[in-house]
Amino acid sequence: MKLKGEMEQLVDQPGRFIHIKIGDGSFHMLRRPISIADVDKENHTITLVYKVTGKGTEWLSERVAGDKVDALGPGGQGFEITEVKNEKILVIGGGVGVPPLYHLTKELVENNDVTVILGFQSKEAVFYEKEFNQFGDRVQTLVVTDDGSYGEKGLVTDIASEFSQDSTRYFTCGPLPMLKAVKNQLVEIPGHISLEERMGCGIGACFACVCHSTNESGYVKVCKDGPVFSSNEVIL
Amino acid sequence: MKLKGEMEQLVDQPGRFIHIKIGDGSFHMLRRPISIADVDKENHTITLVYKVTGKGTEWLSERVAGDKVDALGPGGQGFEITEVKNEKILVIGGGVGVPPLYHLTKELVENNDVTVILGFQSKEAVFYEKEFNQFGDRVQTLVVTDDGSYGEKGLVTDIASEFSQDSTRYFTCGPLPMLKAVKNQLVEIPGHISLEERMGCGIGACFACVCHSTNESGYVKVCKDGPVFSSNEVIL
Amino acid sequence: MKLNVNLGELSLKNPVMPASGCFGFGKEFSEFYDLNQLGAIVIKAATGEPRYGNETPRVAETAAGMLNAIGLQNPGVDGIIERELPFLESLDTPVIANVAGSTIEEYVMVAEKLSNVSTIEAIELNISCPNVKEGGIQFGTDPEVAQELTKEIKRVSGKPLFVKLSPNVADIVGMAKAVEHAGADGLSMINTLTGMRIDPHTKKPILANGTGGLSGPAIKPVAIRMIHQVRQITDLPIIGMGGITTTEDILEFILAGADAIAVGTANFQDPLVCKNLIDQLPNTLRKYGYESLQEVREARCTQVSI
Amino acid sequence: MKLNVNLGELSLKNPVMPASGCFGFGKEFSEFYDLNQLGAIVIKAATGEPRYGNETPRVAETAAGMLNAIGLQNPGVDGIIERELPFLESLDTPVIANVAGSTIEEYVMVAEKLSNVSTIEAIELNISCPNVKEGGIQFGTDPEVAQELTKEIKRVSGKPLFVKLSPNVADIVGMAKAVEHAGADGLSMINTLTGMRIDPHTKKPILANGTGGLSGPAIKPVAIRMIHQVRQITDLPIIGMGGITTTEDILEFILAGADAIAVGTANFQDPLVCKNLIDQLPNTLRKYGYESLQEVREARCTQVSI
Ligand SMILES: Cc1cc2nc3c(=O)[nH]c(=O)nc-3n(C[C@H](O)[C@H](O)[C@H](O)COP(=O)(O)OP(=O)(O)OC[C@H]3O[C@@H](n4cnc5c(N)ncnc54)[C@H](O)[C@@H]3O)c2cc1C
Ligand SMILES: Cc1cc2nc3c(=O)[nH]c(=O)nc-3n(C[C@H](O)[C@H](O)[C@H](O)COP(=O)(O)OP(=O)(O)OC[C@H]3O[C@@H](n4cnc5c(N)ncnc54)[C@H](O)[C@@H]3O)c2cc1C
Ligand SMILES: Cc1cc2nc3c(=O)[nH]c(=O)nc-3n(C[C@H](O)[C@H](O)[C@H](O)COP(=O)(O)O)c2cc1C
Ligand SMILES: Cc1cc2nc3c(=O)[nH]c(=O)nc-3n(C[C@H](O)[C@H](O)[C@H](O)COP(=O)(O)O)c2cc1C
Ligand code: FES
Ligand code: FES
């Protein structure tokens, strides 16, 4: 889905999200957070890629070109990469965590070499591989599936280990068990982890979306301090 | 609003209603009853005329040509007029009670002379007068307004009395205070009264829409036994 | 797929039944589908004498729900037995009678008469009525009164007795324990939450009665919570209700601890809803990996809530 | 149009304030509009020590509402006074502190500390917390405990005290009488109804805590009913809340008996909602024929409910 508006000017980093109102009226009282998967500053659009998992994403999927959508954002802190140059980077994504990594990889590839590992449950679940393949030589994209029905069989961590010595840094987004495994395995290089959590306000006021942290207060808010955190800041 | 479907074949009498689902999903759990204001058997359409008074009628007013509407009906008992011939009839309507009387008058005029008295709050509220004027010589249409801003000033009962001696029968539909006044004034001729009541099921199962009655059980259900009742059957 | 379920002595071919008061005595809905498809039918509350009920308006819409204050309108227990039950006699699906009253004596009389009719296979005791002798306090909010009432009914009725709990209490578990102790064979939960709406035009409550019972999807989370809590302390069969509109809702109720479910308000939005839920249930169960209704009941969530 | 209202000693420029827990300590919303526009601000609950609260997920959507089980996460009363209140100090709108705890001693300590801060103009007592000493029964469901707690707070606090009632009771009028008798200066009602949702995929409650508090439009009819009932027996100022999303809702609450209102869940759907309600209120009042807020309060519906 592409949204047109003024918001793209505000998207300074990949990895931020927008908080979308579902339906008219007050049947759906909570907005849905969806990552910004791409930004087109010329055409004033942002791209969202989402999986239909419930009523909210179902409603989104029923919008047609020209419909208006009430979106709050861009929210939170994304991947801080302005200083990241001439590195060999590992990007690891799983399931609905893949979309924001597209925008990230697009920005990273301007100054770095990138290896992208995407994990999915099965062949049917694979998406966006083609888009990653379009980045050219500096990006190598590998796909794994849980059941081996596409790409290599196994988990992202199975191949991540092959690349870890060679890499200077990793970025990851995906389901919590995958993030935990990645964090536990790739301890030797700096990591940047994008978390998912059920949200209320989406702006830092309601404390719905916290995660345990090593910081002084003992917590971070995913919607405001994140969704992207450095790997040693959060306790998964 | 015009609805196209198969229902028009079932509309055997003027004065029946359809029960309309509002919105998708389950924010609005109650349907809205709206009278059938006209039927076009050739084009398979029925006409509804309604006033926007709340969320449901507001939603209806936002439908555009081609949209689907979930309507249950036709419900209830309408005006029984197959035997009514060569009479002088008084048709008295007020506010949103006017629409079903259009269909009624259209059928009545084939065999009877009809005097129509329509009452509204003020000039701005007047509607459908033109349509009634199209019936030709056998129908005489008079409009009164509470504030005198259009037609004669006063209540429908103020002029109804002028015609009552001359008439053989009356039909009426409108707000409860008006129906009461009409019933109390026109005691000498048979009357047929169409009632409004808040409905649940609309099919006679929930007992939401009852009215006190002179019958054995002491009540009638507006949605199933009515909305049209003979004047001596109901206690208003 | 096997959808059958036993609620103690009562065998249902599937877990879906209409809720009391939302289905009259079945006649109107029989014009929409064959009532034999239903797991059971719960008929409208019966009282000792015919009642007219409250003045109108008796219903008002609310966000994802509605208020009702019908006021127990019904033709009285004798009228029901004479004029309404014959139509249900030949059905091949259990009929459950809902019993109400203003005094213990009235409840007992109604329950006894209905228990003696062969068409009625179980009694549902509606304890959400105001107790006139005790100055209008509901039978359903005082565990001792509910216990006494249940005992008295058990004394006169040989039919399985489901006590229908009111959610307007601080301690639903205490209520459930009290009626189980008194001999209830099962529980129905939940009845409506007491609510009100005011019309900004007239400045008065929309319902002529002032307050009314809140039902529909709005109250589903309260129903799920109460059923879950009560399931931790009893093995009695539970008929769950409160806001069911979809087969996923049914799954949620059964995982919370219900054995069968009743659909109330949704019948007004869609008169075919019970039939449709029954037709769709096998597909939904398969989608979530179940091969029978029994499997869902066994997968019940037994985590103790806080 | 005159929208001002006095709640006892407290003067508000308009009747609209954000509800506790739905507005943090104001900072985030100050990026959307000028907080001075608000009638008052109710800040998030304070406890004696910093609390992390419950594990996540802490929120779940429901039909026209939501469940939350934040679990009183907050930086503790000292943390709030040091790090959060300075931001609110210069505001020209009253700040009301919401006080929570697990024991009477904790409540008293928190209330005392907050009462001594000049930024805080009133205390809202959140009695919906489980009482650890009494085995987890809520302070808000036992009138005697609520009464004692209220008395103890009054002893240490010179600021106007609003007791926030829990709707999870059979007899809200009894609770209101108990706290009024103990010296409450006003009432806030209602807090959330306890609810639950179960995820058919995982077969477990969606909230890590199991149960959570139901808020949003779904509960509005319960709030209106309780406020209306309580208004019949007291002249205390009432801050009404529960599902407000529109100016018509505000009118309904005030006609039911509230003097001011708080908006909770709706802030999540629309962060500008409080400001928009305040801007639109004069037009809505005019539409229904009022020339001031005071007139609406005088038009209150005093019909005794059944
Ligand atoms: C920062 C962030 C970025 C995200 N980006 C994407 C993306 O780019 N593409 C994509 O497909 N999905 C993304 N998700 C997940 C997405 O928010 C959920 O899939 C979506 O909210 C589900 O809504 P629903 O109404 O379809 O499902 P339902 O299950 O009906 O939703 C009910 C409630 O649960 C919440 N919820 C359900 N699943 C999740 C989840 N996994 N994470 C957070 N809240 C959830 C919803 O927001 C809603 O409040 C993101 C989540 C977060 C927190
Ligand atoms: C048999 C019958 C025929 C009707 N025919 C027409 C018609 O042809 N044209 C027309 O404009 N109106 C007609 N009405 C009135 C119409 O049903 C209401 O205006 C409409 O339901 C209001 O819905 P709302 O959502 O816009 O208002 P809201 O006030 O938001 O409605 C809330 C609830 O109250 C009910 N309700 C509100 N006002 C009425 C009312 N006056 N009568 C019954 N229920 C009400 C609604 O059905 C709904 O359940 C008829 C009513 C009945 C009973
Ligand atoms: C119009 C109406 C009438 C009802 N009448 C009764 C009744 O007579 N006896 C009873 O026990 N419950 C009665 N109820 C409560 C329902 O049986 C059910 O417990 C409640 O509505 C919750 O289910 P729902 O949300 O699916 O409607 C009635 C509910 C409605 C809406
Ligand atoms: C996420 C969330 C957190 C809340 N936290 C508190 C709290 O800390 N203290 C309190 O008294 N009430 C708390 N509440 C209750 C609200 O203040 C309010 O009473 C309730 O939500 C009803 O209003 P609403 O329907 O407008 O949300 C909270 C509600 C929500 C949704
Ligand atoms: S969603 Fe409210 S603090 Fe993050
Ligand atoms: S609306 Fe249900 S009986 Fe008339």
Side-chain angles (χ1 to χ4, degrees):
Chain A
M1 169 180 274
K2 283 190 192 216
L3 298 184
K4 206 180 173 88
E6 306 285 290
M7 197 188 282
E8 87 295 340
Q9 305 297 344
L10 303 168
V11 184
D12 49 351
Q13 296 171 319
R16 300 181 73 182
F17 70 96
I18 60 170
H19 212 32
I20 305 178
K21 179 169 186 301
I22 304 300
D24 305 321
S26 28
F27 189 77
H28 294 287
M29 290 304 289
L30 297 182
R31 290 170 176 262
R32 306 298 196 260
I34 302 285
S35 302
I36 296 166
D38 199 8
V39 171
D40 181 340
K41 301 218 176 192
E42 269 166 46
N43 294 308
H44 306 286
T45 62
I46 61 174
T47 302
L48 309 178
V49 179
Y50 56 86
K51 187 176 160 190
V52 174
T53 54
K55 291 277 172 244
T57 43
E58 190 182 317
W59 179 85
L60 266 185
S61 71
E62 290 160 359
R63 297 311 93 203
V64 296
D67 280 359
K68 285 199 176 152
V69 170
D70 178 343
L72 201 64
Q77 314 299 325
F79 296 103
E80 179 48 62
I81 55 167
T82 39
E83 314 269 281
V84 179
K85 284 187 181 137
N86 307 318
E87 296 196 20
K88 296 189 83 169
I89 290 174
L90 208 48
V91 168
I92 305 172
V96 297
V98 169
L101 301 179
Y102 174 80
H103 188 203
L104 170 72
T105 305
K106 186 175 166 188
E107 305 259 306
L108 281 176
V109 72
E110 295 189 3
N111 301 305
N112 305 275
D113 289 314
V114 187
T115 301
V116 180
I117 307 175
L118 304 179
F120 300 96
Q121 288 191 318
S122 64
K123 187 173 172 182
E124 291 73 47
V126 176
F127 69 97
Y128 246 55
E129 186 194 8
K130 203 174 63 224
E131 282 77 358
F132 278 90
N133 282 334
Q134 287 167 356
F135 286 129
D137 286 354
R138 297 192 72 179
V139 178
Q140 176 189 12
T141 305
L142 305 163
V143 173
V144 299
T145 53
D146 295 359
D147 61 0
S149 56
Y150 190 84
E152 278 199 50
K153 177 176 167 133
L155 301 173
V156 289
T157 39
D158 296 341
I159 6 181
S161 51
E162 295 174 26
F163 295 88
S164 61
Q165 308 96 304
D166 247 24
S167 306
T168 51
R169 190 187 292 274
Y170 72 87
F171 294 91
T172 186
C173 185
L176 190 62
M178 183 197 96
L179 299 180
K180 273 191 197 173
V182 169
K183 180 172 189 277
N184 290 338
Q185 189 172 57
L186 304 181
V187 284
E188 317 215 317
I189 50 176
H192 308 269
I193 300 183
S194 179
L195 297 181
E196 260 185 34
E197 193 48 79
R198 291 198 178 225
M199 291 187 183
C201 66
I203 59 172
C206 77
F207 291 80
C209 67
V210 297
C211 176
H212 290 278
S213 167
T214 52
N215 72 11
E216 203 193 340
S217 67
Y219 69 90
V220 288
K221 292 177 195 162
V222 171
C223 70
K224 182 142 202 194
D225 306 322
V228 179
F229 298 97
S230 94
S231 60
N232 51 25
E233 195 181 354
V234 286
I235 304 168
L236 301 183
Chain B
M1 168 179 274
K2 284 194 190 211
L3 299 183
K4 204 180 173 89
E6 305 287 287
M7 196 188 283
E8 88 294 341
Q9 304 299 343
L10 302 168
V11 185
D12 50 351
Q13 296 170 320
R16 300 182 72 183
F17 71 95
I18 62 170
H19 213 32
I20 305 179
K21 181 172 185 299
I22 304 300
D24 305 323
S26 27
F27 188 77
H28 294 287
M29 291 303 289
L30 297 182
R31 291 171 175 261
R32 305 298 195 262
I34 301 285
S35 301
I36 296 167
D38 199 8
V39 171
D40 181 340
K41 300 217 175 190
E42 269 167 46
N43 294 308
H44 305 286
T45 60
I46 60 175
T47 302
L48 308 179
V49 179
Y50 56 87
K51 186 175 162 190
V52 174
T53 53
K55 290 277 172 244
T57 42
E58 189 181 320
W59 179 86
L60 266 185
S61 72
E62 289 159 0
R63 297 311 93 201
V64 296
D67 281 0
K68 285 199 175 150
V69 170
D70 179 343
L72 200 65
Q77 315 299 326
F79 296 102
E80 180 48 61
I81 54 167
T82 39
E83 315 270 282
V84 179
K85 286 189 178 135
N86 307 316
E87 296 196 19
K88 295 191 87 168
I89 291 174
L90 207 49
V91 167
I92 305 171
V96 297
V98 170
L101 301 179
Y102 174 79
H103 188 202
L104 170 72
T105 305
K106 186 175 166 188
E107 305 259 307
L108 281 176
V109 72
E110 295 187 4
N111 300 302
N112 304 276
D113 289 314
V114 187
T115 301
V116 180
I117 306 174
L118 305 178
F120 301 96
Q121 290 189 317
S122 64
K123 185 173 175 183
E124 291 74 46
V126 176
F127 69 97
Y128 245 56
E129 185 195 9
K130 202 173 64 221
E131 283 76 358
F132 279 91
N133 282 335
Q134 287 165 357
F135 287 129
D137 286 353
R138 297 194 70 180
V139 177
Q140 175 188 16
T141 305
L142 305 164
V143 173
V144 298
T145 53
D146 296 359
D147 61 0
S149 55
Y150 189 86
E152 278 198 49
K153 178 177 167 134
L155 301 173
V156 288
T157 39
D158 295 339
I159 3 180
S161 52
E162 297 173 28
F163 293 89
S164 60
Q165 308 97 302
D166 244 24
S167 305
T168 52
R169 190 186 293 274
Y170 73 87
F171 294 91
T172 185
C173 185
L176 191 60
M178 182 196 96
L179 299 181
K180 273 191 199 175
V182 169
K183 180 173 188 281
N184 290 338
Q185 186 171 59
L186 305 180
V187 285
E188 317 216 316
I189 51 175
H192 307 269
I193 300 183
S194 181
L195 296 181
E196 260 185 34
E197 193 48 78
R198 293 201 175 222
M199 291 186 183
C201 66
I203 59 173
C206 78
F207 292 80
C209 66
V210 298
C211 175
H212 289 278
S213 167
T214 52
N215 71 13
E216 203 194 340
S217 67
Y219 68 90
V220 288
K221 294 175 193 160
V222 171
C223 70
K224 185 145 198 193
D225 307 322
V228 179
F229 298 95
S230 90
S231 59
N232 51 26
E233 195 181 354
V234 286
I235 305 168
L236 302 183
Chain C
M1 179 179 286
K2 276 189 148 176
L3 293 181
N4 65 305
V5 56
N6 293 339
L7 304 177
E9 295 171 27
L10 214 58
S11 316
L12 313 189
K13 55 187 97 134
N14 66 61
V16 180
M17 65 188 88
S20 179
C22 302
F23 208 72
F25 301 95
K27 225 174 266 162
E28 294 78 13
F29 286 87
S30 73
E31 288 171 27
F32 288 88
Y33 57 90
D34 177 0
L35 302 185
N36 283 307
Q37 294 185 47
L38 294 167
I41 294 179
V42 191
I43 57 176
K44 199 171 158 34
T47 55
E49 298 299 317
R51 291 200 192 186
Y52 180 78
N54 296 317
E55 291 309 310
T56 57
R58 294 177 169 187
V59 293
E61 198 178 64
T62 69
M66 65 176 280
L67 292 170
N68 90 79
I70 306 294
L72 295 177
Q73 177 160 21
N74 81 101
V77 61
D78 297 331
I80 291 175
I81 292 173
E82 267 165 49
R83 293 193 298 277
E84 303 292 351
L85 295 189
F87 173 76
L88 299 167
E89 207 173 270
S90 57
L91 277 187
D92 175 30
T93 200
V95 178
I96 302 176
N98 186 275
V99 170
S102 306
T103 59
I104 295 202
E105 296 71 36
E106 182 178 4
Y107 270 108
V108 169
M109 187 261 274
V110 175
E112 183 164 17
K113 285 188 177 174
L114 287 165
S115 299
N116 290 334
V117 182
S118 62
T119 313
I120 301 298
E121 295 199 26
I123 301 287
E124 182 176 68
L125 192 62
N126 176 0
I127 59 175
S128 302
C129 312
N131 182 345
V132 292
K133 282 212 184 147
E134 307 285 333
I137 305 281
Q138 290 185 1
F139 286 97
T141 55
D142 181 334
E144 280 175 38
V145 182
Q147 191 159 357
E148 190 190 341
L149 181 60
T150 307
K151 266 193 201 141
E152 294 297 325
I153 305 276
K154 278 307 285 181
R155 220 188 288 278
V156 298
S157 165
K159 300 276 163 85
L161 178 65
F162 286 78
V163 180
K164 184 161 177 180
L165 302 182
S166 160
N168 299 297
V169 297
D171 178 18
I172 194 75
V173 168
M175 288 300 303
K177 281 184 181 158
V179 301
E180 174 166 26
H181 193 245
D185 303 294
L187 302 170
S188 289
M189 48 197 299
I190 59 175
N191 214 317
T192 52
L193 280 160
T194 310
M196 179 185 266
R197 281 205 55 199
I198 292 178
D199 183 336
H201 293 284
T202 64
K203 309 174 177 63
K204 293 215 198 97
I206 293 180
L207 300 178
N209 183 55
T211 62
L214 181 63
S215 61
I219 69 168
K220 199 185 83 175
V222 175
I224 295 288
R225 184 263 293 184
M226 291 190 164
I227 292 169
H228 176 79
Q229 286 179 329
V230 167
R231 175 50 74 215
Q232 315 303 314
I233 57 99
T234 182
D235 290 324
L236 288 183
I238 296 177
I239 303 173
M241 68 205 78
I244 293 175
T245 65
T246 68
T247 48
E248 247 115 358
D249 292 339
I250 297 179
L251 205 54
E252 199 173 339
F253 271 82
I254 296 181
L255 289 170
D259 300 290
I261 59 91
V263 181
T265 307
N267 288 295
F268 303 161
Q269 204 191 34
D270 175 7
L272 286 163
V273 67
C274 287
K275 174 192 161 32
N276 290 340
L277 290 174
I278 294 165
D279 291 347
Q280 293 159 11
L281 192 55
N283 270 341
T284 305
L285 294 190
R286 253 178 238 116
K287 183 176 152 200
Y288 288 93
Y290 300 101
E291 283 306 321
S292 72
L293 183 73
Q294 182 54 23
E295 278 185 28
V296 189
R297 292 166 70 207
E298 285 161 6
R300 250 172 210 167
C301 135
T302 50
Q303 173 188 331
V304 179
S305 61
I306 298 157
Chain D
M1 180 179 288
K2 276 190 148 175
L3 294 180
N4 64 307
V5 53
N6 293 339
L7 305 176
E9 295 172 28
L10 214 59
S11 315
L12 314 189
K13 56 186 100 139
N14 66 60
V16 179
M17 64 188 89
S20 178
C22 303
F23 209 72
F25 300 96
K27 226 174 265 163
E28 294 78 14
F29 285 87
S30 73
E31 289 171 27
F32 289 88
Y33 58 89
D34 178 0
L35 302 186
N36 282 310
Q37 295 186 46
L38 294 167
I41 294 180
V42 191
I43 58 176
K44 201 172 156 32
T47 55
E49 298 299 316
R51 292 200 190 184
Y52 179 78
N54 296 316
E55 292 308 312
T56 57
R58 292 175 170 190
V59 292
E61 197 178 68
T62 68
M66 66 175 282
L67 292 170
N68 90 79
I70 307 294
L72 293 178
Q73 176 160 22
N74 81 102
V77 61
D78 296 331
I80 291 174
I81 292 172
E82 267 165 48
R83 294 193 297 277
E84 304 290 354
L85 295 189
F87 172 77
L88 299 167
E89 209 173 87
S90 56
L91 277 187
D92 174 31
T93 198
V95 178
I96 302 176
N98 185 274
V99 169
S102 305
T103 59
I104 294 201
E105 296 71 34
E106 182 178 2
Y107 269 107
V108 168
M109 187 262 272
V110 175
E112 185 163 18
K113 285 189 176 173
L114 286 165
S115 299
N116 291 334
V117 182
S118 63
T119 314
I120 302 298
E121 295 199 26
I123 302 286
E124 181 177 67
L125 192 63
N126 176 0
I127 59 173
S128 300
C129 312
N131 180 344
V132 294
K133 283 213 183 149
E134 306 284 334
I137 306 281
Q138 290 184 1
F139 285 97
T141 56
D142 181 334
E144 279 175 37
V145 182
Q147 191 159 359
E148 190 190 341
L149 181 59
T150 307
K151 266 193 202 141
E152 294 299 325
I153 305 276
K154 278 305 287 182
R155 223 188 287 278
V156 298
S157 166
K159 301 273 162 89
L161 178 64
F162 286 79
V163 180
K164 185 161 174 182
L165 302 183
S166 160
N168 299 295
V169 297
D171 177 19
I172 194 74
V173 167
M175 290 299 304
K177 281 184 182 158
V179 303
E180 174 166 25
H181 192 242
D185 303 295
L187 302 170
S188 288
M189 47 195 302
I190 58 176
N191 214 315
T192 53
L193 277 161
T194 309
M196 178 185 267
R197 281 207 55 197
I198 293 179
D199 184 337
H201 294 283
T202 63
K203 309 174 178 59
K204 292 212 198 100
I206 293 180
L207 300 178
N209 182 54
T211 61
L214 181 63
S215 62
I219 69 169
K220 198 186 83 176
V222 176
I224 295 288
R225 185 260 295 181
M226 291 187 163
I227 291 168
H228 176 78
Q229 286 179 330
V230 167
R231 175 49 73 215
Q232 314 304 313
I233 57 99
T234 182
D235 290 323
L236 287 183
I238 297 178
I239 304 174
M241 68 204 79
I244 293 174
T245 65
T246 66
T247 47
E248 245 117 359
D249 292 338
I250 298 179
L251 205 53
E252 199 172 339
F253 271 82
I254 295 181
L255 289 170
D259 300 290
I261 59 91
V263 180
T265 306
N267 288 294
F268 304 161
Q269 204 193 33
D270 176 6
L272 287 164
V273 66
C274 287
K275 174 191 159 34
N276 290 340
L277 289 174
I278 294 165
D279 291 347
Q280 293 159 12
L281 193 54
N283 269 341
T284 305
L285 294 192
R286 251 177 241 119
K287 182 177 152 201
Y288 287 94
Y290 300 101
E291 283 306 321
S292 72
L293 183 72
Q294 181 55 25
E295 279 186 27
V296 189
R297 293 166 71 208
E298 285 163 5
R300 250 171 211 169
C301 135
T302 48
Q303 171 187 334
V304 180
S305 60
I306 298 159

